[in-house]
Amino acid sequence: MDKARLDIENKLVPKGADVTRHLALPEQGQTPEWILAEMEKMDSEMTGSNSWKAGKLSGAVYHGGDDMERVIVAAYAKYCVSNPLHPDVFPAIRKMEAEIVAMTLKLFNNPDGAGTMTSGGTESIIMSVKTHRDWARAVKGITEPEIIIPSSGHAAFDKGAAYLKIKVHSIPVDPYTRKVDLKAVKRAINPNTIMLVGSTVNFPDGNQDDIEGLGKLAAKYKTGLHVDCCLGSFVVPYLEKAGLSEGANGKYKLYPFDFRVPGVTAISCDTHKYGFAPKGSSVIMYRDAELRRYQYYVNPDWSGKWLAVSTPVLVYPALGTKPGALIAGTWAAMQYMGSNGYLESCRSIVTCARTIADTIVASIPELYILGSPPASVVAFASKHPKVNVLEVGDKMSQRGWHLNALTGPPAVHIACTTDGVSSVQRLTVDRVDVFIADLKDSVQEAKVQPEGKGSMVALYGLGNSSAVGPAMVGQLASAFLDTLYKA
Ligand SMILES: Cc1ncc(COP(=O)(O)O)c(C=O)c1O
């Protein structure tokens, strides 16, 4: 534990006598030149916030184009001080937020539906959990709510359930298709069920649940159904148009997932992922405005003033006041990309992911792909007794890749990204050959020289390593969070 804790700290917190620490306010304010120079210095002290430009990463940065960045920064600068809590003072921001929601609803085939913007996928999901809880209490009289989540569903659902005191049923996915087991979902439904969950696509391995099957259950038992398109965001709605809703031999097939599927009551879509908007931006959509009402927090008794905001203060304390500049940045990104831009980026991202998956299948016999992922994420696991895939992940880290490790089964994933409009920075899309070459070398090295010391093996292997493994993972996670606040 101590070693792992120290490793985390050494990776994240700069050390040494020449590191300046700003632990108290400067007596006099600094100049803009000093501020920017100090940021440069901080970048160079560690690996630097420019290291992503090498493109060897999974997700995290969803576009890399300077042109795109200029558009977002200009929009941000124009509305830097705006505060949407005061729509009378900033009417343009209110209009942009409403239009972002409308454009996204249209993309998910529910132009008459309703939604709000949030600060990210996690908040969109927590809002949906809250909305369904309050709806079920008002309409069905449910006071001890329960939700049913695939084991591949994002942790934000568990987080929301923990915050809002809702019981969770975690349902296994089929080990081959990676889709949630519908029979087990059906068995878990009871009179307290407020909501089912399905992903298009899920975070761990990029596969899609059977949304139509879940929709039938939701309609039959009159529960909500949330489709998590946070990661699928602006890729999955374009797959059909791009002619990519099915690959060769029926692989990578995308099944219906949006509001056209009966029973779907809510969809989350992250504009700050494949929508290429600045970070801190997502949309939660509902089938209709009546359901959205249950998201609102209205407190007519508060002595300050009558406050009605679309998100409860409980979950996102800053809202009330929220960053209008992010709304402007999101609106600008969507206008700049347009449908054609998103179609193009969908094409290049998905082609990249499928090239990676197909090449692994064809030329790396030690590995297999989890499921048949229709969009941007590819996860690989080992089928060779001498190859620990987490060791492969560590060898990839040594080659400069920032990939994600998974458990259940142990696997490693990459979420491919590009901006689709720039010819300069194309992140994963331009590095497929390097990725494959590095992966082949890493697999061979892991087979003949396993070290068992890298952080993927140490951290992600831990959960299954012994009886105390899961508790240690919990302790390490807390240690990691503590480290984030070490100045
Ligand atoms: C499928 C899925 N849902 C939800 C989230 C949460 O999004 P955020 O990190 O923006 O809170 C993610 C993040 O990667 C995701 O992949």
Side-chain angles (χ1 to χ4, degrees):
M1 270 297 291
D2 285 344
K3 184 184 172 305
R5 211 180 269 141
L6 202 66
D7 280 353
I8 294 172
E9 201 173 312
N10 286 339
K11 260 195 195 148
L12 296 178
V13 186
K15 297 258 159 64
D18 50 341
V19 175
T20 323
R21 294 176 199 284
H22 307 283
L23 303 179
L25 280 172
E27 210 50 52
Q28 298 295 330
Q30 305 283 13
T31 62
E33 294 75 26
W34 180 93
I35 291 167
L36 289 176
E38 195 59 19
M39 286 178 176
E40 284 295 328
K41 198 169 141 230
M42 280 193 261
D43 269 351
S44 60
E45 273 162 5
M46 301 299 284
T47 40
S49 55
N50 281 332
S51 64
W52 63 269
K53 288 198 170 161
K56 290 183 155 187
L57 75 171
S58 168
V61 177
Y62 287 83
H63 77 83
D66 291 344
D67 35 9
M68 182 79 172
E69 205 169 291
R70 268 194 295 276
V71 174
I72 291 173
V73 170
Y76 201 97
K78 186 164 166 54
Y79 292 99
C80 187
V81 300
S82 64
N83 178 359
L85 184 61
H86 301 273
D88 48 339
V89 185
F90 300 103
I93 289 289
R94 187 215 62 79
K95 182 169 178 288
M96 281 187 258
E97 180 167 6
E99 289 176 354
I100 290 163
V101 173
M103 286 187 278
T104 314
L105 276 163
K106 182 125 196 333
L107 203 55
F108 285 80
N109 288 300
N110 192 18
D112 298 327
T116 74
M117 275 189 79
T118 68
S119 63
T122 300
E123 193 192 351
S124 284
I125 287 170
I126 294 173
M127 286 301 94
S128 177
V129 173
K130 184 260 189 235
T131 300
H132 285 91
R133 182 196 67 171
D134 290 4
W135 161 80
R137 189 188 293 151
V139 174
K140 299 179 78 181
I142 295 177
T143 53
E144 292 183 30
E146 302 183 12
I147 59 176
I148 300 176
I149 311 174
S151 58
S152 57
H154 196 270
F157 290 100
D158 299 86
K159 197 187 218 178
Y163 286 172
L164 298 163
K165 299 201 175 3
I166 291 170
K167 181 174 171 184
V168 170
H169 296 264
S170 176
I171 307 297
V173 295
D174 180 282
Y176 179 69
T177 66
R178 311 299 297 170
K179 291 175 189 292
V180 69
D181 177 346
L182 279 189
K183 283 191 185 137
V185 171
K186 187 174 173 192
R187 277 198 301 275
I189 295 175
N190 67 46
N192 285 333
T193 307
I194 60 165
M195 183 171 106
L196 315 180
V197 173
S199 306
T200 300
V201 292
N202 73 42
F203 172 81
D205 49 61
N207 283 284
Q208 181 192 21
D209 290 310
D210 176 356
I211 305 301
E212 287 176 304
L214 288 167
K216 281 188 189 137
L217 288 175
K220 180 168 178 194
Y221 294 101
K222 299 191 172 29
T223 71
L225 169 57
H226 180 113
V227 182
D228 182 2
C229 292
C230 284
L231 184 56
S233 59
F234 281 51
V235 167
V236 285
Y238 283 98
L239 276 171
E240 199 178 333
K241 237 186 184 178
L244 290 168
S245 56
E246 190 165 342
N249 307 326
K251 280 201 289 188
Y252 312 126
K253 190 165 164 50
L254 179 83
Y255 294 88
F257 61 93
D258 64 19
F259 284 105
R260 288 173 294 184
V261 177
V264 172
T265 52
I267 298 179
S268 48
C269 166
D270 285 359
T271 31
H272 72 188
K273 292 196 172 79
Y274 294 106
F276 306 140
K279 293 284 177 281
S281 149
S282 168
V283 176
I284 173 68
M285 294 169 273
Y286 298 106
R287 184 164 284 281
D288 53 42
E290 203 182 317
L291 185 56
R292 180 180 58 185
R293 279 274 171 98
Y294 295 100
Q295 182 179 314
Y296 295 163
Y297 174 79
V298 179
N299 182 353
D301 300 327
W302 184 44
S303 59
K305 67 175 163 148
W306 194 83
L307 183 69
V309 291
S310 59
T311 313
V313 176
L314 160 76
V315 174
Y316 183 8
L319 206 161
T321 296
K322 61 179 182 176
L326 282 182
I327 294 171
T330 302
W331 190 88
M334 291 169 82
Q335 295 297 336
Y336 185 70
M337 288 298 292
S339 240
N340 271 343
Y342 287 125
L343 183 62
E344 230 7 83
S345 64
C346 165
R347 240 183 225 127
S348 51
I349 287 165
V350 174
T351 305
C352 166
R354 290 183 188 176
T355 306
I356 289 176
D358 287 341
T359 314
I360 289 175
V361 171
S363 62
I364 311 187
E366 293 86 350
L367 303 180
Y368 70 96
I369 301 299
L370 298 189
S372 188
S376 58
V377 177
V378 180
F380 46 90
S382 169
K383 57 181 175 187
H384 191 286
K386 290 213 168 121
V387 175
N388 175 355
V389 75
L390 299 176
E391 181 80 41
V392 175
D394 283 329
K395 304 282 185 203
M396 289 296 275
S397 303
Q398 286 165 15
R399 289 171 167 79
W401 288 92
H402 301 265
L403 306 178
N404 292 93
L406 313 167
T407 55
V412 175
H413 99 195
I414 178 163
C416 302
T417 63
T418 182
D419 71 353
V421 288
S422 161
S423 53
V424 186
Q425 281 292 340
R426 304 212 326 148
L427 302 173
T428 338
V429 168
D430 279 347
R431 289 165 182 89
V432 175
D433 293 346
V434 183
F435 179 84
I436 295 289
D438 284 350
L439 188 59
K440 284 182 177 167
D441 291 346
S442 296
V443 167
Q444 290 319 313
E445 256 182 46
K447 200 193 287 180
V448 293
Q449 292 173 324
E451 290 173 283
K453 286 191 184 138
S455 57
M456 280 199 194
V457 172
L459 297 181
Y460 291 84
L462 197 61
N464 304 321
S465 63
S466 74
V468 294
M472 286 182 73
V473 172
Q475 281 182 44
L476 261 183
S478 298
F480 171 76
L481 293 173
D482 288 344
T483 309
L484 294 186
Y485 292 94
K486 278 204 168 149

